[in-house]
Amino acid sequence: MWRNPRYDPIIDAIDYQAVYKQTLQAFIPLFEDGKTRDSVIQLMVEQSPESPNYWDVYSSILFMIKEAKTHDATLLTSAILDKADYFVTLDKSLIKNGKKMLNDEYHILLVTPKESMNIFRTKRKHGGKQQAKK
């Protein structure tokens, strides 16, 4: 289901963590029957910040960026886990509201197609050297 940002409450980072942990604890007993438990719990276990898992990244995008939709979170999570430097999008609202959080937390920069072409030209001009992210 696509989220409607108009009806979503603003959740700060501390509350987000509390909701995430409570949700995780509520799901664990549902899968303690043996077979399903090991495979599902392994997906839900939190990992270190150096190696975040899919659901940690995905849920943080949905909770922390009010304007992010389900498909945005799916694509961004894949790009983050693949260690992309940039994510090109035409979604101005996503760029405006998610750029800082995504760069600070996951070191990925949201850019427009025009910005991406300028980055590409600059890198090509400088022999492909990585430019500092802003």
Side-chain angles (χ1 to χ4, degrees):
M1 172 186 274
W2 305 126
R3 295 179 345 147
N4 184 340
R6 188 178 328 176
Y7 302 111
D8 288 343
I10 295 173
I11 301 173
D12 63 35
I14 293 170
D15 291 337
Y16 156 72
Q17 288 294 331
V19 168
Y20 179 80
K21 287 179 182 177
Q22 285 179 333
T23 304
L24 184 62
Q25 292 306 311
F27 271 90
I28 289 173
L30 297 175
F31 299 102
E32 290 184 337
D33 65 354
K35 282 186 177 180
T36 328
R37 181 186 178 276
D38 291 335
S39 58
V40 174
I41 297 302
Q42 192 164 357
L43 286 175
M44 296 167 59
V45 172
E46 293 184 60
Q47 297 185 10
S48 70
E50 296 81 31
S51 179
N53 73 25
Y54 185 89
W55 299 111
D56 288 334
V57 175
Y58 183 87
S59 62
S60 72
I61 292 169
L62 286 177
F63 276 116
M64 301 302 288
I65 304 171
K66 187 175 179 180
E67 294 71 19
K69 295 175 181 64
T70 306
H71 61 280
D72 296 325
T74 300
L75 295 170
L76 281 163
T77 299
S78 296
I80 289 165
L81 295 179
D82 285 339
K83 300 190 184 326
D85 292 321
Y86 304 97
F87 186 86
V88 181
T89 182
L90 288 170
D91 189 334
K92 292 178 184 175
S93 178
L94 182 63
I95 293 172
K96 177 183 174 190
N97 297 292
K99 188 173 194 166
K100 180 171 178 14
M101 180 274 204
L102 289 166
N103 194 21
D104 291 350
E105 292 293 319
Y106 300 113
H107 312 292
I108 189 169
L109 187 60
L110 298 182
V111 295
T112 65
K114 183 177 180 179
E115 290 171 320
S116 72
M117 290 306 297
N118 289 335
I119 291 166
F120 175 73
R121 286 185 192 105
T122 302
K123 285 181 178 248
R124 192 168 70 186
K125 184 177 178 180
H126 290 87
K129 293 182 182 174
Q130 178 103 1
Q131 300 293 314
K133 294 182 188 180
K134 296 178 183 177

